[in-house]
Each structure stands twice: as structure tokens, then as C-alpha cells.
Amino acid sequence: MSEPVPASRLHRKALASVAAVTLVATGALGSAFLPPSTPVLAQALPQTPITAPEHPPGSFAPIVNRVKPGVVSVKVKLKDDAADDKEGGPGGQNVPPQLREFFRRFGENGMPNRPHRNGGRAAQGSGFFISADGYVVTNNHVVENAKSVEVTLDDGRTLDAKVVGTDPKTDLALLKVTEGNGSFPYVRLAHGAPQVGDWVVAIGNPFGLGGTVTAGIVSARGRDIGAGPYDDFLQIDAPINKGNSGGPTFNVSGEVVGVNTAIASPSGGNVGLAFAIPSETVQAVVDQLRTDGKVARGYLGLQIQPVTKDIAEGLGLDKAKGALVTSAQDGTPAAKAGLKSGDVVQAVNGDPVGDARELSRRIASMKPGTKVQLSYLRGGKTDTATVELATLPNDTRVAAREERGRGSDAQPRLGLSLAPADAVGAGQEGVAVVNVDPDGPAAAKGIEPGDVILDVGGQPVSSVSDVQGRIRAAERDGRKAVLMRVKSDKGTRFVAIALQNRNG
């Protein structure tokens, strides 16, 4: 009976056999045949280890490694008299009631006013360094009512910071770290806006979990979510949650394209709808906060409203574009430049204006004293005016009124009972609305008893016959709607009421 072969000998024999197979195959390709008794050649075959690449294709790791040290967590101890519920954005009350649950702000670690370990109330959010000497950008609603502020760096250090300035209208704030070596890692703001579909990476402190990275794409631009007078948000689908507030969203070049500010969520959690303040807005606001501690905005002195389809029809415009002037306040730059009610502002410095909100944003982004050229339409003709901007008063609200009411049912009558304003004690100008047919087209546009019609079709009216004459003129001109300027206790606005062709 043969003795068992040691495993080492079996292993050597197996190697020799493998070498033989390998060399035979090689010999078939034209190399010399070598007998299996030379296993040393098998060991001499080149060995090429298979290694994974440092970062798989499409990995965001290189971007994250480069920019993550510049992102910080922001911890705030609130003043004793701070409101119990800060979740509503800047000042809480600044977000319309119907949006407070849908567009929920998230600067407090998911729990409104959590108790601080040293007593009092605390809030948490995110931020990022924009300079080596310690300036940090975050949201106003993160540091609002702050008694003290700390930032925690990516390396674990926690440092004191002070609030340099805030801007509630854009929900931005600038901090300055007051300790440390004064040489901090920082990131840069992008100069250009991203395109819809571009990849983005968000880094922040959701639910207190600092250094969290999420990715997605830019879903939309120019979003108006009703959070403030200058809404112009980027919409992204990168997962954003409470505590990401004030943190950066990066492009694939590692530049900040937006500051995460709000989410749309019925429950307060991420559903893929997040909103970020664009970098160009951040740059303009931060520059002023850094030098002046506050933001001064340009001011025209116009009350404006959107040009709706009906209003465009009433004005004889091909497209519903531009900002319709309802009034130019006395003594303001716009009034001094000759603008007046009924003008449609179509461009600023040669750049087209899409709507009233865009005009407000463009003017507000400019510094007081800036001279701008406005192109406007008056009586079917285009004209221009050079205006030197004043400073927006602190108590000035957005001069953009959304037209009230639903669409007209296009009946030939307006459904109004009218009387001269002076005859019913409603003032010295215009025609007063005495009664409104609830089923008529005027009622559908929000006209109410007590309102005063100041002009119809661009012409002042002082009697019922004036109103009737202007309506007939609009019909003769083939207009599909008649445009009225109406004054009420809520202000002055333009209303376009559709007309039905008498032969139709």
C-alpha cells in the first residue's frame, strides 16, 4: 500500500501541472515547448495584481474631500425672550400662513427650541467659510434671536462666533469666528448659475449629524415659494432635512451654487423638494453685510403688478410680459423720471423684464445711487428713462400686487352699478362702484362696492358715460379685454375684464 503524499508535495505537483498547461498553450502560439520538470519558470511569470481605482467613475469623493473642511455646524443659544416657535422662516410670521406647514424652515435640529445643556433655548443649522480669516455664511433664521453662536469645524473644534449682519428679506446672515488661528479652510461662491439637470452636492448638519453629504440635481430655477419679497430659489432634489439650513450646495467644480434654506414637505422630512438661495444673490448680500453690517437696496418708487394675459389683451400687447405700473409715488426717482400709471416696464439696462417680481428683484439687487435705464411702453410706443435709484425705505413692502380674482366669463356687460365718485362721497376723481352683480365678470375679478374706477382703457373717467364710451371704443378696436385702473382700501391696481364680441 502506497504511503500518503504530503500536502506540500501535492501542491508542488499541482503547480507543475498548471505550469505545463500554461506553457503548452504558449507553445501552441509558437513558443518553445518546455517540459513540466521546470516549475521555477511558473514562479517567474509576471504577476499583475488587480486593484480598484482610488475613486470609482462618477464618485463625488474628490469634490467632498476638497470642500468638506470648509463646511461648519452652527449652534445658537437663543435669547430668553425668543419666540417659542421659530419654524416659519425669517421672523416666523414672514411666511404666509398657507405655506407655513408646506414650506417648513429647518434650522433647529428637528426640534423647535431644544433645551440647551447650559440652560435656555438652542437652535442648530449649517454654514460655510468664505474666507481664511473666519467669515461664515448661514441663514438668518438660524441665528435669529441669537444670544451666542458657536461653529463646529470638520476637524471637531468648536469656536465662538459673532453675528456681523443679517438680511431677513433674503434669509442670509454673515458670521465671524472670533477665536482660532485665523487661517481657516474656505470655499468659493460660483460666479455663474447652474443649469437645470446639473449635478450638485449638499453638505450640512441635518438633525445634528454634522458633515452629512447628499447629492442630486438642479430640478428648477427661479422658484417663488412665497417665503420673501425677492424669492429666486434654486430647486434641488438632493436630500435636505432640518439642520441643513444655511449649508452649501456645490457644483461638480467644488463651488457653492446655493445656500440651502427651505424644504417643501407635508411632514417636515425630505421628499426631494429643497430650495437654495443662488450664489449671485449670496455674493451681493454678503458683500454689503461684510462692509456695512446691513443691506441697502435700490428703490424706484413704483407700485407695479404682473401683466396677465387679460391685461395684455387690454393693452394690445402680443405677450404677457413686463411690469405694469399702477402708480409712481410722488417725489420718488420713478416719478421724477416721468414714469406714470399705465406704463409697462419692459427692460432694465437693455435686459428684458419678465414680470413684476423680476423687476423688483433686479432693482433691489442694485445699490442706491446706481443709474439705470428703463425701457417702457406707453400708448403703444416704446420710450426710455434714466433713473437714479434711491434707498429702499425700511418699511417699504414689495411693490408687486398679484391681480385678484378668477378668469372672466366674457359676458358683454360688466355687472356693475356706477355713479360719479364725488356724487356719493367717494372722492373727487373717478367713478364709484355702487353695486356688483355677484355672477358678473367684474365680480369675478374682485371688484367690490366702494371701489373707484379711475380710468378705463388708459383714459381717466369721471362719469358713467365715460366708462361706457371707453368700453365701446375697446370693442371697436377689436380688443378682447378692457383695462381698468381701480382704487380700493387695499391700494390701486389694474383689472382686465374680458369683452365678448357683440356679433359673436
Side-chain angles (χ1 to χ4, degrees):
M1 186 173 183
S2 59
E3 295 183 0
V5 180
S8 58
R9 289 177 57 193
L10 287 174
H11 179 63
R12 286 196 299 273
K13 290 178 69 177
L15 286 176
S17 298
V18 170
V21 172
T22 302
L23 293 173
V24 166
T26 305
L29 295 176
S31 297
F33 175 82
L34 295 176
S37 59
T38 54
V40 67
L41 294 179
Q43 297 176 4
L45 290 175
Q47 301 293 316
T48 305
I50 299 175
T51 58
E54 183 179 359
H55 300 295
S59 172
F60 293 109
I63 302 169
V64 173
N65 292 340
R66 188 165 75 251
V67 302
K68 192 165 173 280
V71 183
V72 301
S73 298
V74 180
K75 300 178 182 179
V76 179
K77 185 175 181 180
L78 301 174
K79 296 177 182 177
D80 295 336
D81 58 352
D84 287 336
D85 186 5
K86 287 174 76 255
E87 249 190 5
Q93 73 276 11
N94 287 353
V95 177
Q98 67 270 26
L99 294 176
R100 284 178 185 164
E101 291 301 317
F102 193 69
F103 296 109
R104 295 172 64 102
R105 301 283 177 162
F106 44 94
E108 305 201 353
N109 197 20
M111 295 291 290
N113 300 329
R114 296 187 64 194
H116 194 269
R117 66 179 181 271
N118 295 325
R121 298 285 186 173
Q124 291 194 15
S126 306
F128 56 96
F129 284 110
I130 58 167
S131 65
D133 55 352
Y135 282 97
V136 173
V137 172
T138 187
N139 279 143
N140 171 68
H141 76 262
V142 171
V143 298
E144 186 179 38
N145 299 314
K147 185 176 181 179
S148 62
V149 181
E150 293 178 337
V151 298
T152 299
L153 279 61
D154 188 54
D155 61 13
R157 288 181 293 163
T158 296
L159 306 174
D160 290 334
K162 66 177 181 179
V163 178
V164 176
T166 63
D167 182 41
K169 287 184 171 64
T170 57
D171 196 17
L172 289 168
L174 184 66
L175 313 179
K176 178 71 164 63
V177 174
T178 56
E179 57 177 329
N181 58 13
S183 182
F184 299 100
Y186 65 95
V187 294
R188 299 183 185 277
L189 294 168
H191 294 295
Q195 298 297 309
V196 173
D198 283 353
W199 281 108
V200 289
V201 176
I203 304 179
N205 183 39
F207 302 108
L209 301 173
T212 297
V213 180
T214 56
I217 63 169
V218 177
S219 304
R221 290 170 49 183
R223 287 297 197 210
D224 175 6
I225 64 174
Y230 308 116
D231 282 12
D232 185 27
F233 290 105
L234 297 175
Q235 179 184 323
I236 63 174
D237 70 352
I240 298 297
N241 288 285
K242 297 182 180 221
N244 274 115
S245 222
T249 290
F250 295 96
N251 60 21
V252 293
S253 297
E255 299 171 320
V256 178
V257 294
V259 175
N260 301 317
T261 298
I263 56 174
S265 170
S267 63
N270 169 66
V271 294
L273 292 172
F275 302 95
I277 305 165
S279 59
E280 55 265 36
T281 300
V282 178
Q283 187 69 70
V285 170
V286 165
D287 285 347
Q288 289 199 56
L289 291 179
R290 191 168 181 172
T291 56
D292 303 325
K294 61 181 180 179
V295 176
R297 291 183 165 85
Y299 175 61
L300 280 174
L302 290 177
Q303 184 180 11
I304 55 179
Q305 70 179 69
V307 177
T308 63
K309 183 178 179 180
D310 287 346
I311 288 177
E313 293 285 0
L315 290 170
L317 300 176
D318 294 334
K319 297 180 180 179
K321 295 285 187 180
L324 178 61
V325 178
T326 57
S327 67
Q329 301 174 30
D330 292 341
T332 61
K336 293 177 182 177
L339 274 77
K340 61 182 184 179
S341 173
D343 293 343
V344 179
V345 179
Q346 297 182 309
V348 177
N349 293 334
D351 296 324
V353 169
D355 54 27
R357 183 171 287 272
E358 182 180 342
L359 176 61
S360 294
R361 285 198 303 262
R362 297 261 294 274
I363 296 301
S365 68
M366 300 178 184
K367 293 183 178 181
T370 303
K371 290 185 178 181
V372 298
Q373 187 177 68
L374 301 180
S375 299
Y376 61 93
L377 187 71
R378 177 185 296 172
K381 297 181 180 180
T382 301
D383 204 347
T384 59
T386 300
V387 185
E388 183 174 341
L389 302 180
T391 301
L392 178 69
N394 290 332
D395 59 350
T396 299
R397 297 294 182 181
V398 177
R401 298 179 59 85
E402 297 292 338
E403 184 185 357
R404 297 181 297 169
R406 308 179 300 275
S408 171
D409 60 3
Q411 295 181 6
R413 62 188 178 88
L414 300 182
L416 294 175
S417 296
L418 305 172
D422 57 0
V424 294
Q428 298 299 313
E429 60 176 352
V431 177
V433 177
V434 178
N435 194 23
V436 181
D437 179 355
D439 297 321
K445 287 295 184 179
I447 295 179
E448 302 174 349
D451 290 352
V452 176
I453 300 173
L454 299 176
D455 61 55
V456 179
Q459 298 294 323
V461 294
S462 58
S463 66
V464 178
S465 61
D466 287 345
V467 176
Q468 294 170 336
R470 296 308 305 163
I471 292 173
R472 287 194 295 268
E475 290 174 335
R476 287 195 303 270
D477 292 341
R479 296 285 175 86
K480 296 180 180 180
V482 61
L483 191 66
M484 296 183 175
R485 187 164 64 102
V486 181
K487 181 175 68 174
S488 70
D489 57 358
K490 298 178 181 179
T492 302
R493 73 188 193 281
F494 280 92
V495 176
I497 301 179
L499 298 172
Q500 178 173 314
N501 192 306
R502 290 183 184 275
N503 297 324

